[in-house]
Amino acid sequence: MPTKIGIRQLVEFVLRKGDLIEVKNSQNTALAGAKIHRQLQSSRSEAYQSEVYLKTTVTMNGTDYLISGRADGVQTTDDGILIEEIKTSDQSFDDLTDNTRDLYWAQVQVYGYLILQAHPDLDEVTLQLTYFQVLNEKITKTQRVLTRVALEAFFKDLITEYEYWLTLRADLRKQRNVSIKDLPFPFPSYRTGQHELAAAVYKTIHFQKRLFVEAPTGTGKTISTLFPAIKAMGEDEIERIFYLTAKQSTRHVAEEALTLMGQDGLRLKSITLTAKDQIRFPEEQDVRPEENPFMIGYYDRLKPGLKDILTHETQLTRSVIEKYARVHTLDPFEFSLDISLFCDVIICDYNYLFDPLVYLQRFFSEEDLDNFFLVDEVHNLVSRARAMYSAEISDAPIAHLLKLAKPDKSQPSDDLQRELKKVRRSFGRISQALIDDDVTEQLSIDPPDKLSRTLRNFNDFISDWLQKQQPSDLLDAVRDYFFDCLTFVKISDMYDGSYQTRTVLDGHHVTVKELCLDPSDFLNRSLKLGAGAVLFSATLSPMAYYQRVLGGEANSLAYKLPSPFPPKHQAILVTQYVQTTYHERPHSEAAIIASLKALVTAKTGNYLFFFPSYGYLTQIKAAFELANPEIQTTTQVNAMNGSERQAFLAQFQANPEKTLVGFCVLGGIFSEGIDLRGDRLIGVAIVSVGLPGINPETNLIRDYYDHDNGQGFAYAYQLPGMNNVLQAAGRLIRSSHDTGIILLLDQRFASRRYTTLFPPHWQYFQSIYSVPQLQATIANFWQQTEDNSHED
């Protein structure tokens, strides 16, 4: 199978030059751009063909390369052939840089070369660049007639300049495939279920399917998905793996798996993409692009930087990227994106594929069956996706912006204040309509078109205004509000039947929310951009729910692995005497405190207690500490940074001499993705079934799914809550030697509605009807554990 190279990628890599000046924030989405393309294409003559796939194979050093792309339009008449390339942007055609226009023309010239290759009877072709300026819908058309000789010379020069990089890619690919051929599984043996999972992943890739996998803690799901995917890559089933996840910790696990395989001889290029605001150098902060030394002349230094890092490094982590970026004076974030084109495994956040605002256009502007997706901890994608496809905007920041701008008596400041007041008036009309109807909120299935039009005009003004400003508090504040407005406008273009507009009047301020209740169609479209996907998590039950909300198609596959750890290593205890519904909480406090005390006093060690909210956590923690002042406690607080998280976890030491209790929140940073092995954690208590707090927006999700499948409460409240419970409980048993107790403090856990959601390794749960029974059961568990350890 020849290596595939996109025409746009080829042209931009070879011909882009000069500064890295970030493009002004466009108000276009891919969907909006595609819509404009379709409108223009549909207005053409009957002789016009849209989206014409063109390709050619180039052979160099005995290696074949497939150069391919889609021309927006080809019109064939008796007079000859015309090829049209359509571009859309907010900028006027005259404001485009010379290099941008050269790149546009180069792309259509390659199409011209390819079309003449297919028509040896023609000596020339007409090339048309159609530029659509979105803000005023102005269309600029320019044409060039080029001969076969000229296009052949252009294409030859293009390929000749790219030859080094083509050869480098071929050499890297050959080295990669040779190293994969005899690559062993990086452990002496497979754990329970690992071999079956690896085989299922390989088959999924081969048949280009979508596989949903529940792989309990300890299964080794990272290596069980990466290893077979890399094996498939070595057999040219795929060319690139995207390992997508929501958390930094799971990205590190993927890096460690690659390091492990590297020790066994694997030679491939992997890269971990880091968010722009985290990887940029300190001296780049608050510096305009045209004054940033890491951006000025960026493209003139890029190729030496790429050559350096690709010939000397294999695993391109953040620290490696920053090292070479500084040597070659390159912006590290943009450098990482450019390096990724040469990489085999790309580890990154969900948003690089799924987010409609920041997805990687260089990979995901169109379908590419060379790409395959491994989506880790995919249960997190449900809420993340809703957030990605939702937006909100308020008039609350406007008063502060006007206050910051008022002391500046310059014309730009006056212009800014004028535009801000226009936006405020638009919100005022919305607010007045609510007041007239004597309501504080309103729902609609329609997008907020009038507000969006106002914000489009505001965004147009601000995008120009920002280019002329020096760093200041006003600039920062305006930029933040501008990004919110930009997001709001882009999301408004995506409305379908899964959206609701919620307008809320709170005091003197009004907020308009565009709520995506069901992002499954959007996720499905993103997943279709590759050859297939494996979506996996330790908790993915019930499977039908996750397949429905995560864009699973009718032919998606599902696979569940058993836990590799003996069930007897943990006790699952359900207290039938505790009720944690909101109205019962005051009456159940004493029973909860007594139960928690029974758990932690039976054996000295480290424990975690999980609660559905900070409010409930604070209430029970105060009562627990009052009743048990001798027991050491530590508490999760809101918005902990990385060092604070590490300090929290560092308290949970092995072989503790005193008992330590950590109070945490369900669904928070310590309820998943942490690994306290051995006796660093011997007990977990979960207070309540973890239902999200009842609120109007979750009720909208409930109502949507009630209409869709009659399971609104389950989809909106019960299943997300139970997933948080299972994730928190999963902190306990992390290895084959771990033992401990999971205490479920809510009688609802014993109801059929919940027991049907218990994983198979919870089937031996015990119902507890009193505190004395709980004390006896806990004591018996630890006694049996001690007896078993002596037998072993």
Side-chain angles (χ1 to χ4, degrees):
M1 184 173 70
T3 300
K4 182 179 177 183
I5 300 170
I7 289 172
R8 181 174 176 178
Q9 171 192 330
L10 168 67
V11 165
E12 291 191 352
F13 184 82
V14 173
L15 300 180
R16 192 179 289 278
K17 57 188 177 183
D19 302 340
L20 172 63
I21 304 299
E22 294 171 306
V23 178
K24 288 199 299 183
N25 291 283
S26 171
Q27 299 186 48
N28 297 305
T29 62
L31 288 174
K35 183 178 179 181
I36 293 169
H37 274 61
R38 289 193 297 271
Q39 288 174 345
L40 293 174
Q41 289 165 337
S42 63
S43 68
R44 305 302 188 235
S45 69
E46 292 183 3
Y48 186 93
Q49 289 180 281
S50 302
E51 305 299 325
V52 178
Y53 182 69
L54 300 170
K55 64 179 181 178
T56 190
T57 300
V58 176
T59 303
M60 292 188 182
N61 295 334
T63 302
D64 291 340
Y65 304 89
L66 180 69
I67 312 294
S68 64
R70 291 188 183 277
D72 290 323
V74 175
Q75 181 173 295
T76 305
T77 65
D78 293 339
D79 296 330
I81 294 179
L82 178 143
I83 301 177
E84 180 178 41
E85 178 66 16
I86 301 170
K87 298 294 183 183
T88 63
S89 180
D90 292 339
Q91 289 179 280
S92 71
F93 185 75
D94 292 337
D95 286 342
L96 296 175
T97 65
D98 290 341
N99 189 231
T100 298
R101 279 197 289 263
D102 289 344
L103 293 173
Y104 288 169
W105 277 114
Q107 192 174 338
V108 74
Q109 283 175 246
V110 175
Y111 294 142
Y113 167 80
L114 296 181
I115 206 83
L116 289 180
Q117 293 295 104
H119 292 81
D121 54 311
L122 297 179
D123 290 325
E124 64 182 26
V125 64
T126 301
L127 309 179
Q128 178 171 302
L129 179 61
T130 301
Y131 185 83
F132 186 95
Q133 186 181 357
V134 177
L135 295 175
N136 57 13
E137 300 188 353
K138 180 180 178 181
I139 297 174
T140 304
K141 293 182 182 178
T142 49
Q143 287 189 353
R144 295 177 181 176
V145 178
L146 292 181
T147 65
R148 178 183 295 275
V149 173
L151 289 172
E152 286 179 346
F154 168 78
F155 186 76
K156 182 180 178 181
D157 289 344
L158 194 66
I159 293 299
T160 298
E161 188 168 346
Y162 200 47
E163 182 175 3
Y164 169 82
W165 303 100
L166 291 174
T167 304
L168 174 63
R169 283 186 62 164
D171 291 343
L172 292 174
R173 182 185 180 197
K174 183 177 180 181
Q175 180 188 65
R176 178 198 76 189
N177 287 1
V178 168
S179 75
I180 292 173
K181 185 177 180 181
D182 297 318
L183 181 69
F185 188 69
F187 295 100
S189 62
Y190 287 92
R191 293 181 190 171
T192 302
Q194 268 192 319
H195 192 273
E196 293 83 355
L197 174 55
V201 170
Y202 187 90
K203 290 176 182 177
T204 300
I205 295 171
H206 179 73
F207 291 108
Q208 299 187 349
K209 296 288 187 180
R210 202 173 297 174
L211 175 67
F212 288 79
V213 178
E214 182 175 83
T217 299
T219 310
K221 56 185 184 296
T222 301
I223 197 67
S224 302
T225 52
L226 261 177
F227 179 73
I230 288 170
K231 279 291 189 179
M233 178 185 288
E235 296 177 10
D236 289 333
E237 295 274 2
I238 51 176
E239 275 298 302
R240 191 178 292 109
I241 299 165
F242 286 87
Y243 193 98
L244 300 137
T245 183
K247 296 184 181 296
Q248 198 72 37
S249 57
T250 41
R251 271 169 252 171
H252 290 321
V253 173
E255 291 174 347
E256 289 166 4
L258 289 167
T259 299
L260 206 57
M261 288 185 277
Q263 292 169 359
D264 285 334
L266 177 64
R267 294 293 176 265
L268 57 66
K269 301 295 180 185
S270 69
I271 188 168
T272 303
L273 299 181
T274 305
K276 180 188 294 188
D277 59 346
Q278 295 177 29
I279 198 174
R280 280 202 161 159
F281 294 131
E283 54 267 50
E284 291 188 271
Q285 304 300 324
D286 300 323
V287 177
R288 296 170 65 178
E290 54 268 33
E291 298 171 358
N292 184 339
F294 297 93
M295 292 185 177
I296 299 170
Y298 172 90
Y299 290 107
D300 302 327
R301 298 186 299 275
L302 173 60
K303 290 169 190 171
L306 286 174
K307 182 178 179 181
D308 193 8
I309 196 169
L310 290 171
T311 53
H312 291 98
E313 304 290 346
T314 298
Q315 200 166 353
L316 310 175
T317 58
R318 173 180 173 175
S319 59
V320 172
I321 293 165
E322 288 178 331
K323 171 187 171 184
Y324 284 84
R326 191 166 285 284
V327 167
H328 293 275
T329 321
L330 297 166
D331 175 78
F333 176 72
E334 294 293 339
F335 187 41
S336 70
L337 297 184
D338 287 318
I339 302 166
S340 68
L341 291 169
F342 293 87
C343 290
D344 308 297
V345 178
I346 298 173
I347 303 169
C348 58
D349 187 88
Y350 295 152
N351 59 8
Y352 286 100
L353 171 62
F354 298 110
D355 195 310
L357 306 179
V358 299
Y359 72 96
L360 291 175
Q361 293 190 32
R362 65 191 67 207
F363 292 114
F364 305 131
S365 58
E366 62 182 29
E367 178 187 280
D368 186 347
L369 298 182
D370 284 340
N371 295 331
F372 192 83
F373 307 126
L374 300 177
V375 191
D376 195 2
E377 302 292 356
V378 74
H379 64 275
N380 286 306
L381 187 55
V382 180
S383 57
R384 278 285 301 273
R386 284 199 182 103
M388 287 176 190
Y389 290 95
S390 298
E392 67 176 75
I393 197 72
S394 171
D395 63 344
I398 295 177
H400 177 63
L401 294 175
L402 288 170
K403 184 177 179 180
L404 287 175
K406 194 171 183 180
D408 184 350
K409 303 302 181 181
S410 67
Q411 188 61 46
S413 177
D414 290 344
D415 293 341
L416 172 64
Q417 293 175 61
R418 182 190 68 243
E419 297 301 321
L420 284 168
K421 289 174 182 176
K422 287 180 183 178
V423 175
R424 187 171 63 179
R425 284 195 295 272
S426 186
F427 276 106
R429 288 189 286 271
I430 296 171
S431 178
Q432 190 59 51
L434 292 174
I435 294 170
D436 291 344
D437 291 339
D438 195 25
V439 295
T440 56
E441 69 173 79
Q442 211 165 50
L443 293 172
S444 172
I445 61 172
D446 299 318
D449 289 334
K450 290 183 179 178
L451 177 60
S452 293
R453 280 197 293 272
T454 300
L455 295 179
R456 281 183 195 278
N457 293 332
F458 176 73
N459 292 345
D460 182 31
F461 166 80
I462 294 297
S463 63
D464 289 330
W465 182 88
L466 289 172
Q467 310 303 316
K468 306 167 187 174
Q469 302 304 305
Q470 295 296 326
S472 68
D473 291 341
L474 174 62
L475 176 64
D476 292 340
V478 169
R479 185 188 288 118
D480 289 343
Y481 193 58
F482 168 60
F483 287 153
D484 289 342
C485 294
L486 203 63
T487 299
F488 190 86
V489 169
K490 289 182 176 181
I491 294 298
S492 69
D493 290 333
M494 305 183 73
Y495 260 58
D496 60 14
S498 70
Y499 275 88
Q500 286 262 18
T501 302
R502 181 171 181 245
T503 306
V504 180
L505 181 62
D506 183 9
H508 297 294
H509 296 296
V510 64
T511 300
V512 181
K513 300 185 177 184
E514 299 170 318
L515 302 172
C516 180
L517 309 177
D518 176 14
S520 58
D521 281 347
F522 297 118
L523 297 177
N524 183 38
R525 289 178 208 169
S526 294
L527 291 170
K528 282 184 174 179
L529 294 170
V534 176
L535 304 95
F536 53 101
S537 172
T539 57
L540 218 57
S541 294
M543 189 68 77
Y545 161 71
Y546 284 100
Q547 288 180 300
R548 167 64 182 84
V549 298
L550 292 173
E553 298 176 294
N555 63 348
S556 292
L557 308 173
Y559 192 75
K560 284 192 174 187
L561 278 74
S563 172
F565 306 137
K568 66 179 182 179
H569 281 198
Q570 64 181 0
I572 314 294
L573 309 180
V574 179
T575 56
Q576 293 277 38
Y577 54 87
V578 171
Q579 297 183 54
T580 67
T581 56
Y582 189 76
H583 294 295
E584 293 295 329
R585 287 181 182 180
H587 309 297
S588 64
E589 183 178 293
I592 291 173
I593 299 304
S595 302
L596 294 175
K597 181 178 180 180
L599 175 64
V600 303
T601 55
K603 182 177 174 63
T604 298
N606 299 323
Y607 298 83
L608 287 175
F609 297 168
F610 289 95
F611 300 84
S613 67
Y614 279 104
Y616 200 16
L617 179 156
T618 302
Q619 173 194 333
I620 299 299
K621 177 174 180 285
F624 181 85
E625 290 177 333
L626 185 64
N628 305 282
E630 75 285 0
I631 297 176
Q632 182 184 353
T633 63
T634 185
T635 309
Q636 174 186 348
V637 296
N638 206 2
M640 296 173 81
N641 61 33
S643 59
E644 289 169 334
R645 296 178 197 179
Q646 290 302 317
F648 178 92
L649 293 174
Q651 298 173 83
F652 293 78
Q653 294 293 320
N655 305 312
E657 296 180 357
K658 292 184 177 181
T659 288
L660 172 65
V661 174
F663 284 78
C664 301
V665 177
L666 280 171
I669 54 177
F670 300 119
S671 65
E672 59 179 281
I674 64 169
D675 208 5
L676 299 173
R677 292 177 180 249
D679 63 357
R680 290 186 67 195
L681 183 65
I682 63 169
V684 169
I686 298 170
V687 182
S688 91
V689 292
L691 297 179
I694 295 176
N695 64 79
E697 290 171 18
T698 309
N699 283 343
L700 289 176
I701 298 172
R702 178 199 63 195
D703 296 344
Y704 174 88
Y705 284 108
D706 263 341
H707 183 268
D708 179 69
N709 58 21
Q711 299 186 64
F713 177 77
Y715 274 40
Y717 288 100
Q718 183 196 10
L719 298 178
M722 189 60 186
N723 186 278
N724 289 337
V725 168
L726 293 173
Q727 283 290 326
R731 299 314 95 208
L732 183 64
I733 305 298
R734 308 298 296 174
S735 74
S736 59
H737 301 293
D738 291 5
T739 57
I741 296 172
I742 295 172
L743 180 60
L744 303 176
L745 289 154
D746 194 310
Q747 65 178 18
R748 286 174 287 183
F749 280 119
S751 68
R752 179 169 173 76
R753 182 166 199 153
Y754 281 91
T755 57
T756 55
L757 301 176
F758 283 9
H761 55 286
W762 280 25
Q763 60 183 306
Y764 301 111
F765 77 91
Q766 301 174 65
S767 290
I768 307 295
Y769 296 91
S770 67
V771 173
Q773 183 191 359
L774 177 65
Q775 292 171 328
T777 304
I778 292 173
N780 183 55
F781 172 81
W782 288 123
Q783 184 62 53
Q784 288 184 346
T785 300
E786 186 175 344
D787 292 344
N788 291 333
S789 66
H790 290 322
E791 291 175 8
D792 294 341

